Amino acid sequence: MYKGFPVSESDVVLDVGCGGGGNAAFCARQGAHIVFADIDQAMVEETGRLLQGTPARKIEAIVTDADPLPLPDETFTRIVSTEVIEHVADPMVFLKELVRVGKPGALYLLAVPDPASEAIFKQIAHPSCFEPPNHIRILGRDEFAQLVSNPCAN
């Protein structure tokens, strides 16, 4: 998917906030076991349709707000959550959940929108775009780096 984030058929991948399923589809094409989750039932269904016919070892869908994740501890070797942290009530609680379900040594792929693009979007978007369940915070680059550097220490 990205340099430094290899995915293989031996991986068990969790995609939290799967949206339309692009990240999950990539992982499914590698033959991994995929669990994908979103708060939006329609997005979960869309991702499920996208993953049909892929070489994924197994496909599982969950509708959840991820607080908490309805999954057992230390299950996943790869965890993906892109464009999600800016939506959650408490980013640290969310990140601790991701760590809880990751196996020791798991790799994480996390991303948030760039603060510059968010600032522009905020000027032109309807105010509801920055209210729950949409973007409720803009994370600066340093703030994001600090947040994800050691979520269990906080």
Side-chain angles (χ1 to χ4, degrees):
M1 186 176 323
Y2 295 97
K3 186 177 181 179
F5 195 82
V7 176
S8 73
E9 61 188 23
S10 64
D11 286 308
V12 182
V13 179
L14 173 62
D15 184 356
V16 180
C18 64
N23 292 329
F26 173 86
C27 297
R29 287 191 301 271
Q30 310 316 305
H33 171 172
I34 310 296
V35 177
F36 55 95
D38 203 289
I39 195 170
D40 186 332
Q41 174 78 37
M43 292 289 100
V44 170
E45 290 170 1
E46 182 178 330
T47 299
R49 285 189 295 275
L50 184 64
L51 272 55
Q52 292 304 311
T54 65
R57 194 169 76 245
K58 186 174 181 182
I59 297 170
E60 299 177 66
I62 302 171
V63 177
T64 179
D65 68 358
D67 186 18
L69 286 165
L71 298 163
D73 295 356
E74 297 185 1
T75 302
F76 300 93
T77 60
R78 304 287 183 267
I79 298 176
V80 178
S81 188
T82 60
E83 310 286 319
V84 176
I85 296 172
E86 68 276 9
H87 294 265
V88 302
D90 187 331
M92 193 54 62
V93 168
F94 177 73
L95 290 171
K96 286 180 180 181
E97 271 299 282
L98 298 184
V99 170
R100 179 185 66 77
V101 300
K103 286 186 174 185
L107 293 181
Y108 294 79
L109 178 61
L110 307 171
V112 296
D114 187 88
S117 65
E118 287 283 81
I120 293 168
F121 184 60
K122 196 166 189 174
Q123 292 175 7
I124 61 173
H126 188 276
S128 66
C129 291
F130 286 88
E131 296 173 357
N134 299 308
H135 296 197
I136 58 175
R137 70 182 41 78
I138 296 174
L139 293 165
R141 292 175 182 167
D142 291 341
E143 181 182 9
F144 177 69
Q146 183 178 15
L147 186 67
V148 301
S149 65
N150 193 0
C152 291
N154 297 312

